[in-house]
Amino acid sequence: MGKQTWKPGNMLYPIPAVMVSVADKQGEENIITVAWTGTVCSDPAMVYISVRPERHSYQMIKETKEFVINLTTKDLARATDYCGVVSGRDVDKWQEMKLTKGEAQTLSYAPIIEECPVNIECKVTEIKELGTHHMFLAEVTAVRVSEEYMNQDGKFELNQTGLMAYSHGTYLELGAQIGTFGYSVRKKRGANENRNRGNSKKGK
């Protein structure tokens, strides 16, 4: 089977499509949908979002140096798309999409989106002007989770929230589980243990 060679481009998919809530110091609040986002460090917990300077939310983030990454679900697919293609200069996205503003615990300006199962509060530590997008590196200052997804053992069931992903222009619902972290090693360990048990019985 052959391969085609294309010019350089962003073909790293699937990726999350998140709604990022922001505000300026005058009290204007907005939502921007971002697909260029991810984890950069675990200790301290750090993330990034990349935003075009011409976007309405860009100056808000630059002014307050804070934002909230709100994870999205299949039930929020329309709102997620809408907040990515309509400008906050023209409409109130909160009102149009019937989204609820909540107060962040560690931020002074940016609100959380109550309908999202996870809200990641972030404070910007560095801005990298890369080209079409500027990257906001940020430290995570708090994570808020919806209590309705806590099970009886006190575990947060993130994968039961209906998370969605974005791939090559399409929003997708996550599918069935095919494994868990480290499962390939656990299988080998189990096989080796069974093999060792068998050998020890033969030796007896």
Side-chain angles (χ1 to χ4, degrees):
M1 186 177 293
K3 291 275 188 178
Q4 295 184 12
T5 300
W6 293 357
K7 66 180 181 180
N10 295 316
M11 283 292 289
L12 181 62
Y13 293 114
I15 52 179
V18 300
M19 290 191 286
V20 177
S21 45
V22 302
D24 62 19
K25 291 184 178 180
Q26 290 69 49
E28 181 182 357
E29 298 163 323
N30 193 38
I31 304 168
I32 179 174
T33 297
V34 171
W36 303 159
T37 182
T39 298
V40 294
C41 187
S42 57
D43 187 13
M46 294 188 70
V47 295
Y48 81 91
I49 60 172
S50 289
V51 182
R52 290 180 180 269
E54 57 266 29
R55 298 295 294 270
H56 184 54
S57 295
Y58 177 87
Q59 289 299 332
M60 295 183 180
I61 302 170
K62 194 170 183 180
E63 179 184 359
T64 64
K65 292 185 169 53
E66 59 181 49
F67 58 86
V68 180
I69 294 175
N70 304 275
L71 299 193
T72 55
T73 66
K74 60 182 181 180
D75 293 334
L76 293 167
R78 183 170 181 273
T80 302
D81 184 66
Y82 184 89
C83 291
V85 298
V86 176
S87 175
R89 295 186 183 95
D90 305 320
V91 299
D92 183 339
K93 299 179 187 180
W94 298 89
Q95 182 176 341
E96 291 296 319
M97 291 293 100
K98 297 180 173 56
L99 295 172
T100 309
K101 302 173 188 176
E103 184 177 354
Q105 296 297 297
T106 60
L107 306 180
S108 301
Y109 302 99
I112 68 170
I113 301 175
E114 291 284 2
E115 287 77 10
C116 294
V118 177
N119 319 101
I120 305 169
E121 301 181 12
C122 306
K123 291 186 178 180
V124 176
T125 60
E126 186 178 351
I127 303 173
K128 290 185 173 292
E129 299 184 5
L130 301 173
T132 58
H133 293 67
H134 292 182
M135 177 188 287
F136 291 97
L137 286 169
E139 185 168 350
V140 176
T141 54
V143 177
R144 312 283 299 284
V145 300
S146 297
E147 292 181 340
E148 63 185 291
Y149 297 107
M150 301 293 295
N151 67 20
Q152 59 185 7
D153 298 321
K155 178 184 176 182
F156 181 61
E157 298 287 359
L158 177 61
N159 293 328
Q160 301 302 314
T161 63
L163 291 173
M164 69 174 190
Y166 177 78
S167 182
H168 206 44
T170 302
Y171 303 103
L172 302 168
E173 181 182 354
L174 296 189
Q177 177 180 313
I178 57 174
T180 58
F181 179 75
Y183 83 103
S184 59
V185 177
R186 285 196 295 274
K187 282 184 177 179
K188 291 177 181 177
R189 285 177 179 168
N192 289 336
E193 287 172 1
N194 290 334
R195 192 177 299 113
N196 290 336
R197 289 195 192 100
N199 290 336
S200 63
K201 289 179 180 178
K202 290 178 183 178
K204 292 179 179 179

